[in-house]
Amino acid sequence: HLTEWLAPFRGKVLSGYMAIRTELDPLPVMTAWEGPVCVPVIVGAGQPLVFHRWEAGCDMVAGPFGAGVPASAEPLVPDVLIVPLLAFNRSGGRLGYGGGFYDRTLEALRARRTARAVGLAFAAQEDSGLPLEPTDQPLDAVVTEEGVLRFG
């Protein structure tokens, strides 16, 4: 389902992520992507994410929260982002780990250019009662094992 949703963006810069805890793993899609791929790097608290080029087999080091980041820092700006999450709702709301990194990042990217964001989750992570805040950035879609939910 994720490959299907991403098809119109083929060749654009894709941001994936290195899965931690119980997050769904986007590596198969990242590895097969026809275009540049990057992963998020946390710079510091209260800061938007930056993104470094990733290729299958590249040297990785541990970043904050235990997610791997490329050992060499080649910055890229993503056009489309695969976003991890703890929970989502049917309005495109997303609950992350509480640092606000993706919210700040999406807000900045969307202010400068068109950036699309798709959440990757299990259908069981849907929660109609998410505690959303005005600064939360909505997702354009959520992909689960059951299909694609499109918003807006």
Side-chain angles (χ1 to χ4, degrees):
H1 299 297
L2 183 57
T3 301
E4 170 192 325
W5 189 85
L6 289 170
F9 306 104
R10 190 170 285 118
K12 301 280 188 184
V13 179
L14 173 71
S15 169
Y17 60 86
M18 299 292 119
I20 59 172
R21 302 180 185 135
T22 59
E23 295 172 342
L24 284 172
D25 190 353
L27 279 179
V29 171
M30 293 164 57
T31 301
W33 186 248
E34 296 174 17
V37 178
C38 56
V39 295
V41 177
I42 296 172
V43 178
Q47 303 278 329
L49 299 165
V50 297
F51 298 86
H52 293 170
R53 180 182 293 274
W54 173 89
E55 294 177 354
C58 72
D59 289 334
M60 302 287 282
V61 296
F65 299 106
V69 298
S72 69
E74 183 182 338
L76 288 176
V77 177
D79 298 299
V80 61
L81 297 86
I82 304 170
V83 180
L85 51 84
L86 293 175
F88 68 93
N89 67 22
R90 294 225 169 211
S91 300
R94 170 191 169 273
L95 182 65
Y97 289 110
F101 295 107
Y102 274 100
D103 292 319
R104 280 188 292 282
T105 302
L106 288 171
E107 181 179 32
L109 288 172
R110 289 170 171 165
R112 295 188 345 231
R113 60 193 290 182
T114 301
R116 306 293 296 271
V118 58
L120 185 58
F122 292 105
Q125 290 174 266
E126 182 178 346
D127 182 352
S128 61
L130 288 185
L132 299 177
E133 298 183 14
T135 55
D136 290 341
Q137 291 290 306
L139 298 169
D140 296 293
V142 171
V143 173
T144 74
E145 73 279 11
E146 294 178 358
V148 179
L149 298 168
R150 290 174 171 82
F151 313 111

